[in-house]
Amino acid sequence: MTAETVAPPPRAGTKGTPPPRPLAVRIWRNYAFKRIRQAIFTIWFVATGTFFLARLMPGDPIDIMAGRLTESGMTHAQARGIAEAIVPYDPHASWYVQYLEFMTGVVTFNYGNMMTRPSTEVTDYIMQYLPWTLFSVGLGVLIAVFVGLGVGMIMAYRRNGTFDHIMTPIASFLAGVPNYLLAAAVVVIGSTWLGLFSFANMRGRLSPGVETGFNMVFIGDALYHAILPVFAYAVTITGGWMLTMKAATTEIMTEDYVMVARARGLKGWRIGSNYIGRNAILPLMPQIALALGTLIGGAVLVERILNYPGIGGMFLESINQRDYPVIQATTIILASTVVIANLICDLLASRLDPRIRLDDTEA
């Protein structure tokens, strides 16, 4: 019996075995690094577009302030002189100098001071409003996602049944109602006509005398004043999530691996959680970030109708006053919030389903 000669394994780089990629190439083609590059490019693109669009609007901060001063009886020359002395803005500065200063502030997270209030930092001013909008919008999205996904999955399991026939038209109706219209209807019907609650007491962010702090009094009062905007946000997007989850679940239920799981005798709850629910939710995760961004961008009307001082009303006022630093910083912060949320959703989805990373790398 002769001993067979065993050939040594081929070395890297020999014929039949591709050489290993350099470390820099592997990092560059890494899925997470690619998504981070895309996120940074998106934020830069939004920042640059905001810089130029703000300056393309008719009038600058000096013109707006001079126009208001002339209403008090000043001549245009007097108002213009006072406005130029107050507003820290040079209308004659070249655009590339302004852009360089602006991008330096973006990189260093220093947006400077307001033009309408030169002694107030832009970041401090925005943080007086942004947390309240994120609180109301975030809570509304969270409620809508949990309710919409849960009800949508039940609709798919009981499709063509009584529950499905009742909830489908309701979901379609809710998906088509604008949140600002629902907010106005709730105030008119609930407070004015039926007297179910006092809208006068629910206006604002906190009741008089309540101080900000991590305690039950503050949390309870903040929730009380945020009920109406949260309700408007949650209800109007719950319908869309119900229909989307119903469609995704119905499609997953027809897949072969679900049929195999049922043939193996697995329990219904295990099939629903491990095979159907997980795969139906994966494609919807990026839409959660998009819903958050859409609601924040559309919060202007809801906050104005409900008298809930948030980032929407503040942003509109800064546009009217042509306060460039506030406009730029607000847009960048809101865009970054959406982009980062979307990035997190993408990375989580890639961890739950490794096929996403493989498909992206091959592409």
mmCIF file of all heavy atoms in Angstrom, residues 273-307:
data_model
loop_
_atom_site.group_PDB
_atom_site.id
_atom_site.type_symbol
_atom_site.label_atom_id
_atom_site.label_comp_id
_atom_site.label_asym_id
_atom_site.label_seq_id
_atom_site.Cartn_x
_atom_site.Cartn_y
_atom_site.Cartn_z
ATOM 1 N N SER A 273 -42.557 35.196 14.861
ATOM 2 C CA SER A 273 -41.493 36.071 15.356
ATOM 3 C C SER A 273 -40.169 35.871 14.622
ATOM 4 O O SER A 273 -39.505 36.830 14.241
ATOM 5 C CB SER A 273 -41.288 35.850 16.858
ATOM 6 O OG SER A 273 -40.919 34.488 17.108
ATOM 7 N N ASN A 274 -39.778 34.598 14.413
ATOM 8 C CA ASN A 274 -38.458 34.314 13.843
ATOM 9 C C ASN A 274 -38.426 34.294 12.323
ATOM 10 O O ASN A 274 -37.383 34.588 11.724
ATOM 11 C CB ASN A 274 -37.945 32.971 14.370
ATOM 12 C CG ASN A 274 -37.679 33.001 15.861
ATOM 13 O OD1 ASN A 274 -37.687 34.069 16.470
ATOM 14 N ND2 ASN A 274 -37.475 31.851 16.454
ATOM 15 N N TYR A 275 -39.535 33.950 11.706
ATOM 16 C CA TYR A 275 -39.535 33.770 10.260
ATOM 17 C C TYR A 275 -40.288 34.883 9.529
ATOM 18 O O TYR A 275 -39.824 35.371 8.494
ATOM 19 C CB TYR A 275 -40.158 32.415 9.889
ATOM 20 C CG TYR A 275 -39.315 31.236 10.276
ATOM 21 C CD1 TYR A 275 -39.383 30.701 11.551
ATOM 22 C CD2 TYR A 275 -38.449 30.650 9.374
ATOM 23 C CE1 TYR A 275 -38.614 29.607 11.933
ATOM 24 C CE2 TYR A 275 -37.666 29.555 9.719
ATOM 25 C CZ TYR A 275 -37.755 29.045 11.006
ATOM 26 O OH TYR A 275 -36.979 27.977 11.368
ATOM 27 N N ILE A 276 -41.438 35.277 10.059
ATOM 28 C CA ILE A 276 -42.272 36.249 9.350
ATOM 29 C C ILE A 276 -42.005 37.665 9.835
ATOM 30 O O ILE A 276 -41.649 38.552 9.050
ATOM 31 C CB ILE A 276 -43.763 35.898 9.514
ATOM 32 C CG1 ILE A 276 -44.040 34.517 8.913
ATOM 33 C CG2 ILE A 276 -44.627 36.961 8.841
ATOM 34 C CD1 ILE A 276 -45.478 34.055 9.070
ATOM 35 N N GLY A 277 -42.171 37.907 11.124
ATOM 36 C CA GLY A 277 -42.054 39.267 11.644
ATOM 37 C C GLY A 277 -40.693 39.882 11.409
ATOM 38 O O GLY A 277 -40.592 41.030 10.965
ATOM 39 N N ARG A 278 -39.652 39.127 11.673
ATOM 40 C CA ARG A 278 -38.293 39.666 11.523
ATOM 41 C C ARG A 278 -37.998 40.051 10.078
ATOM 42 O O ARG A 278 -37.465 41.121 9.803
ATOM 43 C CB ARG A 278 -37.290 38.623 12.010
ATOM 44 C CG ARG A 278 -35.842 39.021 11.833
ATOM 45 C CD ARG A 278 -34.934 37.962 12.423
ATOM 46 N NE ARG A 278 -33.528 38.263 12.187
ATOM 47 C CZ ARG A 278 -32.522 37.515 12.625
ATOM 48 N NH1 ARG A 278 -32.770 36.451 13.351
ATOM 49 N NH2 ARG A 278 -31.280 37.848 12.361
ATOM 50 N N ASN A 279 -38.373 39.189 9.132
ATOM 51 C CA ASN A 279 -38.091 39.467 7.727
ATOM 52 C C ASN A 279 -39.016 40.524 7.154
ATOM 53 O O ASN A 279 -38.665 41.199 6.176
ATOM 54 C CB ASN A 279 -38.203 38.175 6.907
ATOM 55 C CG ASN A 279 -37.089 37.197 7.215
ATOM 56 O OD1 ASN A 279 -35.974 37.344 6.753
ATOM 57 N ND2 ASN A 279 -37.395 36.184 8.016
ATOM 58 N N ALA A 280 -40.201 40.684 7.719
ATOM 59 C CA ALA A 280 -41.112 41.721 7.238
ATOM 60 C C ALA A 280 -40.701 43.097 7.732
ATOM 61 O O ALA A 280 -40.890 44.101 7.032
ATOM 62 C CB ALA A 280 -42.542 41.401 7.691
ATOM 63 N N ILE A 281 -40.120 43.174 8.923
ATOM 64 C CA ILE A 281 -39.744 44.465 9.498
ATOM 65 C C ILE A 281 -38.441 44.989 8.904
ATOM 66 O O ILE A 281 -38.255 46.207 8.782
ATOM 67 C CB ILE A 281 -39.626 44.337 11.036
ATOM 68 C CG1 ILE A 281 -41.005 44.071 11.642
ATOM 69 C CG2 ILE A 281 -39.013 45.582 11.650
ATOM 70 C CD1 ILE A 281 -40.976 43.822 13.132
ATOM 71 N N LEU A 282 -37.536 44.097 8.513
ATOM 72 C CA LEU A 282 -36.216 44.517 8.021
ATOM 73 C C LEU A 282 -36.294 45.580 6.919
ATOM 74 O O LEU A 282 -35.628 46.621 7.018
ATOM 75 C CB LEU A 282 -35.425 43.305 7.539
ATOM 76 C CG LEU A 282 -34.641 42.537 8.610
ATOM 77 C CD1 LEU A 282 -33.991 41.314 7.993
ATOM 78 C CD2 LEU A 282 -33.595 43.439 9.244
ATOM 79 N N PRO A 283 -37.085 45.397 5.868
ATOM 80 C CA PRO A 283 -37.116 46.424 4.819
ATOM 81 C C PRO A 283 -37.745 47.742 5.269
ATOM 82 O O PRO A 283 -37.573 48.762 4.604
ATOM 83 C CB PRO A 283 -37.967 45.772 3.707
ATOM 84 C CG PRO A 283 -37.978 44.311 4.016
ATOM 85 C CD PRO A 283 -37.881 44.220 5.489
ATOM 86 N N LEU A 284 -38.458 47.725 6.387
ATOM 87 C CA LEU A 284 -39.161 48.916 6.840
ATOM 88 C C LEU A 284 -38.328 49.784 7.770
ATOM 89 O O LEU A 284 -38.726 50.913 8.068
ATOM 90 C CB LEU A 284 -40.460 48.510 7.559
ATOM 91 C CG LEU A 284 -41.409 47.576 6.801
ATOM 92 C CD1 LEU A 284 -42.652 47.308 7.623
ATOM 93 C CD2 LEU A 284 -41.784 48.177 5.462
ATOM 94 N N MET A 285 -37.206 49.261 8.242
ATOM 95 C CA MET A 285 -36.418 49.998 9.230
ATOM 96 C C MET A 285 -35.944 51.352 8.716
ATOM 97 O O MET A 285 -36.039 52.360 9.426
ATOM 98 C CB MET A 285 -35.241 49.147 9.709
ATOM 99 C CG MET A 285 -35.651 47.940 10.532
ATOM 100 S SD MET A 285 -34.244 46.999 11.161
ATOM 101 C CE MET A 285 -33.481 48.205 12.237
ATOM 102 N N PRO A 286 -35.414 51.472 7.488
ATOM 103 C CA PRO A 286 -35.019 52.812 7.019
ATOM 104 C C PRO A 286 -36.179 53.785 6.924
ATOM 105 O O PRO A 286 -35.985 54.999 7.030
ATOM 106 C CB PRO A 286 -34.414 52.529 5.634
ATOM 107 C CG PRO A 286 -34.008 51.093 5.661
ATOM 108 C CD PRO A 286 -35.022 50.434 6.522
ATOM 109 N N GLN A 287 -37.401 53.272 6.743
ATOM 110 C CA GLN A 287 -38.548 54.159 6.638
ATOM 111 C C GLN A 287 -38.874 54.837 7.960
ATOM 112 O O GLN A 287 -39.524 55.879 7.983
ATOM 113 C CB GLN A 287 -39.763 53.381 6.141
ATOM 114 C CG GLN A 287 -39.590 52.790 4.755
ATOM 115 C CD GLN A 287 -40.836 52.089 4.255
ATOM 116 O OE1 GLN A 287 -41.943 52.379 4.702
ATOM 117 N NE2 GLN A 287 -40.667 51.156 3.333
ATOM 118 N N ILE A 288 -38.426 54.238 9.069
ATOM 119 C CA ILE A 288 -38.649 54.869 10.371
ATOM 120 C C ILE A 288 -37.886 56.176 10.452
ATOM 121 O O ILE A 288 -38.406 57.203 10.911
ATOM 122 C CB ILE A 288 -38.223 53.911 11.501
ATOM 123 C CG1 ILE A 288 -39.059 52.628 11.449
ATOM 124 C CG2 ILE A 288 -38.361 54.591 12.863
ATOM 125 C CD1 ILE A 288 -38.642 51.593 12.467
ATOM 126 N N ALA A 289 -36.634 56.166 9.996
ATOM 127 C CA ALA A 289 -35.844 57.395 9.986
ATOM 128 C C ALA A 289 -36.438 58.426 9.048
ATOM 129 O O ALA A 289 -36.457 59.623 9.352
ATOM 130 C CB ALA A 289 -34.401 57.081 9.584
ATOM 131 N N LEU A 290 -36.936 57.977 7.898
ATOM 132 C CA LEU A 290 -37.546 58.906 6.960
ATOM 133 C C LEU A 290 -38.819 59.509 7.542
ATOM 134 O O LEU A 290 -39.113 60.688 7.336
ATOM 135 C CB LEU A 290 -37.849 58.190 5.641
ATOM 136 C CG LEU A 290 -36.634 57.667 4.871
ATOM 137 C CD1 LEU A 290 -37.084 56.949 3.607
ATOM 138 C CD2 LEU A 290 -35.695 58.820 4.519
ATOM 139 N N ALA A 291 -39.599 58.708 8.270
ATOM 140 C CA ALA A 291 -40.810 59.227 8.901
ATOM 141 C C ALA A 291 -40.468 60.278 9.939
ATOM 142 O O ALA A 291 -41.148 61.310 10.062
ATOM 143 C CB ALA A 291 -41.597 58.081 9.540
ATOM 144 N N LEU A 292 -39.388 60.050 10.688
ATOM 145 C CA LEU A 292 -38.953 61.023 11.683
ATOM 146 C C LEU A 292 -38.583 62.347 11.027
ATOM 147 O O LEU A 292 -38.988 63.422 11.476
ATOM 148 C CB LEU A 292 -37.763 60.468 12.467
ATOM 149 C CG LEU A 292 -37.173 61.354 13.562
ATOM 150 C CD1 LEU A 292 -38.192 61.577 14.669
ATOM 151 C CD2 LEU A 292 -35.912 60.737 14.135
ATOM 152 N N GLY A 293 -37.826 62.279 9.932
ATOM 153 C CA GLY A 293 -37.424 63.495 9.246
ATOM 154 C C GLY A 293 -38.591 64.223 8.613
ATOM 155 O O GLY A 293 -38.672 65.452 8.639
ATOM 156 N N THR A 294 -39.522 63.463 8.027
ATOM 157 C CA THR A 294 -40.686 64.087 7.396
ATOM 158 C C THR A 294 -41.535 64.824 8.421
ATOM 159 O O THR A 294 -42.008 65.947 8.179
ATOM 160 C CB THR A 294 -41.526 63.022 6.679
ATOM 161 O OG1 THR A 294 -40.716 62.359 5.708
ATOM 162 C CG2 THR A 294 -42.718 63.658 5.991
ATOM 163 N N LEU A 295 -41.738 64.208 9.580
ATOM 164 C CA LEU A 295 -42.564 64.848 10.597
ATOM 165 C C LEU A 295 -41.885 66.081 11.176
ATOM 166 O O LEU A 295 -42.547 67.096 11.438
ATOM 167 C CB LEU A 295 -42.878 63.850 11.715
ATOM 168 C CG LEU A 295 -43.927 62.787 11.378
ATOM 169 C CD1 LEU A 295 -44.167 61.891 12.577
ATOM 170 C CD2 LEU A 295 -45.235 63.447 10.962
ATOM 171 N N ILE A 296 -40.570 66.008 11.392
ATOM 172 C CA ILE A 296 -39.867 67.186 11.917
ATOM 173 C C ILE A 296 -39.960 68.330 10.924
ATOM 174 O O ILE A 296 -40.195 69.480 11.295
ATOM 175 C CB ILE A 296 -38.400 66.826 12.217
ATOM 176 C CG1 ILE A 296 -38.323 65.853 13.397
ATOM 177 C CG2 ILE A 296 -37.594 68.087 12.535
ATOM 178 C CD1 ILE A 296 -36.923 65.394 13.716
ATOM 179 N N GLY A 297 -39.777 68.031 9.642
ATOM 180 C CA GLY A 297 -39.874 69.071 8.632
ATOM 181 C C GLY A 297 -41.267 69.649 8.500
ATOM 182 O O GLY A 297 -41.431 70.828 8.171
ATOM 183 N N GLY A 298 -42.288 68.830 8.760
ATOM 184 C CA GLY A 298 -43.658 69.312 8.649
ATOM 185 C C GLY A 298 -44.269 69.730 9.964
ATOM 186 O O GLY A 298 -45.502 69.872 10.062
ATOM 187 N N ALA A 299 -43.458 69.929 10.977
ATOM 188 C CA ALA A 299 -43.981 70.290 12.296
ATOM 189 C C ALA A 299 -44.357 71.758 12.406
ATOM 190 O O ALA A 299 -44.922 72.170 13.424
ATOM 191 C CB ALA A 299 -42.951 69.945 13.379
ATOM 192 N N VAL A 300 -44.055 72.556 11.393
ATOM 193 C CA VAL A 300 -44.304 73.993 11.480
ATOM 194 C C VAL A 300 -45.782 74.271 11.700
ATOM 195 O O VAL A 300 -46.172 74.984 12.636
ATOM 196 C CB VAL A 300 -43.809 74.704 10.204
ATOM 197 C CG1 VAL A 300 -44.123 76.193 10.275
ATOM 198 C CG2 VAL A 300 -42.315 74.490 10.024
ATOM 199 N N LEU A 301 -46.640 73.704 10.842
ATOM 200 C CA LEU A 301 -48.071 73.988 10.926
ATOM 201 C C LEU A 301 -48.681 73.412 12.197
ATOM 202 O O LEU A 301 -49.517 74.066 12.841
ATOM 203 C CB LEU A 301 -48.783 73.440 9.691
ATOM 204 C CG LEU A 301 -48.431 74.105 8.361
ATOM 205 C CD1 LEU A 301 -49.152 73.408 7.216
ATOM 206 C CD2 LEU A 301 -48.798 75.588 8.401
ATOM 207 N N VAL A 302 -48.298 72.195 12.561
ATOM 208 C CA VAL A 302 -48.857 71.576 13.762
ATOM 209 C C VAL A 302 -48.505 72.393 15.001
ATOM 210 O O VAL A 302 -49.362 72.653 15.860
ATOM 211 C CB VAL A 302 -48.362 70.122 13.898
ATOM 212 C CG1 VAL A 302 -48.815 69.516 15.223
ATOM 213 C CG2 VAL A 302 -48.858 69.284 12.741
ATOM 214 N N GLU A 303 -47.252 72.811 15.101
ATOM 215 C CA GLU A 303 -46.835 73.587 16.268
ATOM 216 C C GLU A 303 -47.490 74.957 16.294
ATOM 217 O O GLU A 303 -47.797 75.478 17.376
ATOM 218 C CB GLU A 303 -45.312 73.709 16.274
ATOM 219 C CG GLU A 303 -44.607 72.375 16.525
ATOM 220 C CD GLU A 303 -43.096 72.471 16.470
ATOM 221 O OE1 GLU A 303 -42.578 73.534 16.054
ATOM 222 O OE2 GLU A 303 -42.426 71.498 16.839
ATOM 223 N N ARG A 304 -47.723 75.546 15.134
ATOM 224 C CA ARG A 304 -48.404 76.838 15.094
ATOM 225 C C ARG A 304 -49.872 76.694 15.494
ATOM 226 O O ARG A 304 -50.404 77.502 16.254
ATOM 227 C CB ARG A 304 -48.294 77.449 13.694
ATOM 228 C CG ARG A 304 -46.935 78.048 13.375
ATOM 229 C CD ARG A 304 -46.634 79.195 14.331
ATOM 230 N NE ARG A 304 -45.341 79.801 14.089
ATOM 231 C CZ ARG A 304 -45.174 80.969 13.464
ATOM 232 N NH1 ARG A 304 -46.222 81.628 13.007
ATOM 233 N NH2 ARG A 304 -43.964 81.472 13.292
ATOM 234 N N ILE A 305 -50.553 75.678 14.982
ATOM 235 C CA ILE A 305 -51.970 75.479 15.298
ATOM 236 C C ILE A 305 -52.172 75.173 16.774
ATOM 237 O O ILE A 305 -53.083 75.708 17.420
ATOM 238 C CB ILE A 305 -52.547 74.345 14.428
ATOM 239 C CG1 ILE A 305 -52.579 74.771 12.956
ATOM 240 C CG2 ILE A 305 -53.947 73.946 14.895
ATOM 241 C CD1 ILE A 305 -52.968 73.655 12.016
ATOM 242 N N LEU A 306 -51.314 74.332 17.334
ATOM 243 C CA LEU A 306 -51.456 73.905 18.727
ATOM 244 C C LEU A 306 -50.701 74.805 19.694
ATOM 245 O O LEU A 306 -50.690 74.526 20.903
ATOM 246 C CB LEU A 306 -50.966 72.464 18.874
ATOM 247 C CG LEU A 306 -51.718 71.427 18.036
ATOM 248 C CD1 LEU A 306 -51.124 70.045 18.233
ATOM 249 C CD2 LEU A 306 -53.198 71.418 18.395
ATOM 250 N N ASN A 307 -50.060 75.837 19.168
ATOM 251 C CA ASN A 307 -49.296 76.772 20.016
ATOM 252 C C ASN A 307 -48.287 76.010 20.880
ATOM 253 O O ASN A 307 -48.207 76.202 22.091
ATOM 254 C CB ASN A 307 -50.237 77.594 20.897
ATOM 255 C CG ASN A 307 -49.544 78.815 21.502
ATOM 256 O OD1 ASN A 307 -48.417 79.159 21.109
ATOM 257 N ND2 ASN A 307 -50.186 79.451 22.450
#
